[in-house]
Amino acid sequence: MVVQALAFYLFATVAVLSATAVVTVRNPVHSVLLLILTFFNAAGLFVLLGAEFLAMLLVVVYVGAVAVLFLFVVMMLDINFVEMRQGFLNYLPIGVLIAVVLFVELALVGAGWTLTDGAVAVLAQPTPEGVTNVEALGRLIYTDYAYIFQAAGLVLLVAMIGAIVLTLRHREGVRRQKISEQVKRNRADTLEIKKVPVGRGI
């Protein structure tokens, strides 16, 4: 128990500090690297809770795909850090207001769980013996929350289609691949055999 408590405080402290640094550092590349560190520590907390599957998803999906994609996008962008530093104070009041609102909401949620008498009764039940957390999570998602899971998939599908429609542009003079014309080609249209004399070019 002592080792688990030390590991929890270590992961939690590093996760909170790195998450705070994500929104406070000025360099976007450093911000993405700190975000990756936050994900790794959150995965460690999931492992301590016995949710190895969620920890693996957090590392594979968020660290391996999303955060690395953010890193490459940020590194490819031509960011003017001088302009970012100049405009920081202009957005400071709005940022402080949003932070206060989020803090009040979190405090209300925490107070609700603390002051409510029946809060303990609605806590998640432990995983039954002989059932892995992957199986328990699958049973929960595809039975009790099956419709919500399908609705979330439809929302992501609509978002993907919307992103494609918004970014697709038909420009004049751009050569595009036409599969039907490529399939209908014959040898006479695409191949020409010439006899080259010895010592001469074409």
Side-chain angles (χ1 to χ4, degrees):
M1 295 298 293
V2 177
V3 177
Q4 293 180 356
L6 292 177
F8 169 77
Y9 285 115
L10 176 62
F11 287 136
T13 304
V14 176
V16 171
L17 293 178
S18 58
T20 305
V22 168
V23 296
T24 56
V25 296
R26 300 291 184 86
N27 194 327
V29 178
H30 295 168
S31 179
V32 175
L33 294 176
L34 289 168
L35 182 64
I36 294 175
L37 179 62
T38 305
F39 286 150
F40 271 113
N41 286 276
L45 293 175
F46 278 127
V47 172
L48 292 178
L49 291 174
E52 298 86 2
F53 180 70
L54 295 179
M56 181 195 68
L57 285 182
L58 191 63
V59 173
V60 173
V61 176
Y62 284 94
V63 176
V66 178
V68 175
L69 178 62
F70 286 168
L71 181 61
F72 278 104
V73 171
V74 168
M75 293 176 66
M76 288 188 297
L77 293 177
D78 188 11
I79 301 175
N80 192 345
F81 295 102
V82 177
E83 295 182 358
M84 292 180 58
R85 294 188 181 94
Q86 291 176 353
F88 176 74
L89 295 178
N90 297 330
Y91 298 101
L92 184 60
I94 300 176
V96 172
L97 178 61
I98 295 175
V100 171
V101 172
L102 291 176
F103 179 77
V104 172
E105 290 177 349
L106 291 175
L108 290 176
V109 172
W113 275 97
T114 304
L115 300 178
T116 304
D117 296 332
V120 180
V122 297
L123 291 176
Q125 298 296 327
T127 304
E129 294 184 2
V131 178
T132 62
N133 57 69
V134 180
E135 183 178 356
L137 184 62
R139 290 180 180 178
L140 187 64
I141 291 177
Y142 295 107
T143 53
D144 298 337
Y145 300 98
Y147 294 110
I148 299 177
F149 181 75
Q150 295 296 329
L154 291 177
V155 170
L156 292 177
L157 177 61
V158 172
M160 182 181 65
I161 296 175
I164 295 174
V165 171
L166 291 175
T167 56
L168 183 61
R169 295 291 184 272
H170 294 283
R171 300 176 182 176
E172 298 294 336
V174 177
R175 299 182 61 182
R176 300 182 182 275
Q177 185 181 14
K178 297 181 180 179
I179 306 298
S180 59
E181 294 184 2
Q182 293 179 356
V183 172
K184 291 187 296 184
R185 290 191 309 172
N186 51 34
R187 181 177 179 181
D189 297 333
T190 58
L191 183 61
E192 183 180 359
I193 300 176
K194 291 187 176 181
K195 295 183 179 180
V196 181
V198 179
R200 298 181 182 179
I202 297 176

